[in-house]
Amino acid sequence: MSAGSHPRVRFLLFPNSESTASLFTRLHTSLSCRLAAVYEGKKVTTLAGWSVGHLGPAYSLAVNPEKTAQINTIVLYDPGSYANFFERRPWEDAPCDLKYDQSQLYADWLGKNKDNRLIILAGEDTKDRNIWGEGGTHEGIQQALFPKIRTSDQLSSQVPVCNYDDMKHRDVLANCMSVMTAGPQPACPTTPVQPDTVWHP
């Protein structure tokens, strides 16, 4: 799946809970980090974002609060490193990731229903590395997404992080596409490559 040649256009996937077909909706992030997403009258229960598209679900929770109650699963495919979350991209005036408190948005959403799941499929981009270029520190998601979630054991239990540390960025999406239509899951999905570890914030 292509993210398109324009750096400000990404695709956000909204699987339709009433069928296995996926509804593809364009997500436009402008220089002011606004979201233009269309639910098109569908009952959307799952939000998913790949790469910089991880902004899509957070934006949706922020600007479509009336839809929040029906969302039970959010899947982030290899959302990125610390630099991806906190450093300005060439087309941004300021990092769009800092536009909203994503950690608070997710903590609030998880707190609405103990069956809600935020599934993070962490490939090689999300892995990060220590100063010697080794290991996986996952600093991006640790600092951007988890501070408010870590305040509650219950919230933490609703966030499985699946370490596919050596899986290529695009392969995370290709190998795990079915997660979007599988509904809430208590653990990591079955894929051609199994995760190294499964952990919670």
Side-chain angles (χ1 to χ4, degrees):
M1 185 182 70
S2 172
S5 58
H6 194 293
R8 290 180 301 201
V9 177
R10 295 294 182 269
F11 289 96
L12 180 64
L13 304 169
F14 292 100
N16 181 354
S17 65
E18 297 171 353
S19 73
T20 57
S22 293
L23 173 66
F24 291 81
T25 302
R26 280 194 175 185
L27 166 70
H28 300 272
T29 54
S30 71
L31 290 179
S32 58
C33 308
R34 287 191 297 265
L35 169 73
V38 182
Y39 282 85
E40 298 182 3
K42 302 291 185 181
K43 182 183 178 183
V44 177
T45 60
T46 299
L47 299 179
W50 170 64
S51 192
V52 72
H54 71 258
L55 287 164
Y59 284 1
S60 191
L61 292 180
V63 302
N64 292 296
E66 73 283 358
K67 299 288 185 181
T68 300
Q70 69 186 35
I71 304 300
N72 56 39
T73 306
I74 293 176
V75 187
L76 301 184
Y77 290 87
D78 206 14
S81 65
Y82 182 90
N84 295 142
F85 277 96
F86 292 101
E87 293 181 7
R88 184 179 66 84
R89 299 178 183 92
W91 63 89
E92 297 171 340
D93 291 330
C96 282
D97 277 285
L98 303 183
K99 177 72 174 180
Y100 298 105
D101 184 344
Q102 295 179 69
S103 183
Q104 188 67 64
L105 287 170
Y106 285 124
D108 290 345
W109 169 73
L110 290 165
K112 290 176 188 276
N113 188 328
K114 64 180 178 59
D115 293 324
N116 287 350
R117 291 290 180 271
L118 170 61
I119 302 171
I120 298 180
L121 308 176
E124 69 174 8
D125 278 20
T126 303
K127 177 180 180 179
D128 273 318
R129 286 171 172 79
N130 61 27
I131 59 175
W132 297 280
E134 301 170 344
T137 62
H138 300 92
E139 280 303 303
I141 56 177
Q142 291 280 13
Q143 299 298 325
L145 304 183
F146 294 162
K148 305 294 173 51
I149 292 172
R150 279 195 295 261
T151 63
S152 163
D153 289 343
Q154 174 60 49
L155 297 183
S156 178
S157 72
Q158 295 170 237
V159 185
V161 180
C162 310
N163 277 14
Y164 301 95
D165 284 347
D166 296 319
M167 191 183 293
K168 299 295 184 185
H169 186 52
R170 289 182 180 273
D171 290 344
V172 175
L173 179 64
N175 290 336
C176 304
M177 186 74 77
S178 63
V179 180
M180 289 184 291
T181 55
Q185 301 183 40
C188 297
T190 299
T191 69
V193 179
Q194 294 306 304
D196 300 326
T197 58
V198 181
W199 55 279
H200 298 270

